[in-house]
Amino acid sequence: MFYKPSKVAIFPQVIKSLAVTAMLGFLTACGATSGGNREPLLTDSNSKLPYVDAGPDQTVKVQSNITLSGSGSDRDGSIASYQWTQTSGKAVIIDNPNRPDISFRAPKGITEQQITLQLTVTDNEGATNSDSLAITVVPMTPEEAALALDNALKKIGHLVNVVTLPPYPDEKQAVATVEGIDINNNGTRDDLEHIIYQGMNLLDGVTLDTYNHMIYIINMIQPSDKAVENSISKVAIYCSYQALPENVKKEMPLGFVYMIVLDTQARKTAHYRSVMSAPRNLGPELCVSA
């Protein structure tokens, strides 16, 4: 009689247990541990990456001046170099990008935008590490934009360091009389001095003499509080105006000059009561010296 060997039943739980045991043995042989931390092979355990901090994220206004202070350190050595780079957003110009502290100007824009900068440090053994920060650039309000423009005009131009403007007068006081407000007592309304300054300051070739020449013309047009018959010569005004540089005349036509001086009905009335008769059509031939 032959005996047929019977099959040995292996329960699923036993199969699962054997599979887990085999897998653990394989992982242990490859250097893994049950804790989940993996040390790369062929890595010098004494070498550590340097620490780097680019700083916190920021929200700034367009065209504002920004200063960032990054930092780096190395537990087993020293920091050999710093390098800032821009990784996204409208391009900015970074001053001294190879130093931990940098400065730059936020880009222009009429909508909110974001730029990203990255600081990379390298230690004395050549190991590197990087950190990034995001800068959100928001547009100015209309009031902030007007103030920024006013401040910019005060800092640039040909007349900045040579002309001292009087305080800007209150608008109601400036139009209260024919002669207006003249705080610096130079014979010219303070509001006109500001208008002429703003109109000429950024024009090419403008000098203090050019500015004073325009002020002289303003004073020729500007009437006194009481009309004085035959005290204003339109021919003299026209001929004096012709001596201005061409770019100034193009930017500030004589008609515009009259308009800003005679900006109220009282001033127009006083002017025309004081003006002496003149040819209807003024021309260069009237200005030729005899």
Side-chain angles (χ1 to χ4, degrees), residues 107-118:
K108 297 179 181 178
I110 58 175
T111 59
E112 184 175 304
Q113 57 185 302
Q114 190 175 81
I115 61 176
T116 305
L117 298 180
Q118 177 177 279

Side-chain angles (χ1 to χ4, degrees), residues 149-191:
L149 177 61
D150 185 56
N151 289 335
L153 290 175
K154 291 178 180 178
K155 296 178 181 178
I156 61 174
H158 304 283
L159 304 174
V160 171
N161 298 318
V162 295
V163 172
T164 302
L165 291 173
Y168 204 96
D170 176 80
E171 185 176 358
K172 292 182 179 179
Q173 293 182 352
V175 300
T177 66
V178 170
E179 293 182 330
I181 304 299
D182 181 17
I183 292 179
N184 55 357
N185 296 315
N186 66 346
T188 308
R189 287 181 3 226
D190 294 344
D191 57 331

Side-chain angles (χ1 to χ4, degrees), residues 189-236:
R189 287 181 3 226
D190 294 344
D191 57 331
L192 294 178
E193 290 190 64
H194 282 271
I195 294 173
I196 297 304
Y197 178 90
Q198 292 172 1
M200 300 180 68
N201 186 40
L202 300 180
L203 296 180
D204 292 336
V206 170
T207 64
L208 180 60
D209 287 340
T210 309
Y211 173 81
N212 286 335
H213 190 96
M214 179 64 85
I215 292 295
Y216 172 71
I217 296 171
I218 290 289
N219 290 340
M220 294 174 71
I221 300 172
Q222 181 175 277
S224 58
D225 192 26
K226 293 182 179 180
V228 179
E229 189 176 0
N230 297 333
S231 62
I232 297 176
S233 170
K234 295 187 70 173
V235 174

Side-chain angles (χ1 to χ4, degrees), residues 253-267:
L254 184 56
F256 169 78
V257 178
Y258 268 102
M259 180 184 70
I260 63 174
V261 176
L262 307 178
D263 58 343
T264 67
Q265 187 57 50
R267 287 166 182 163

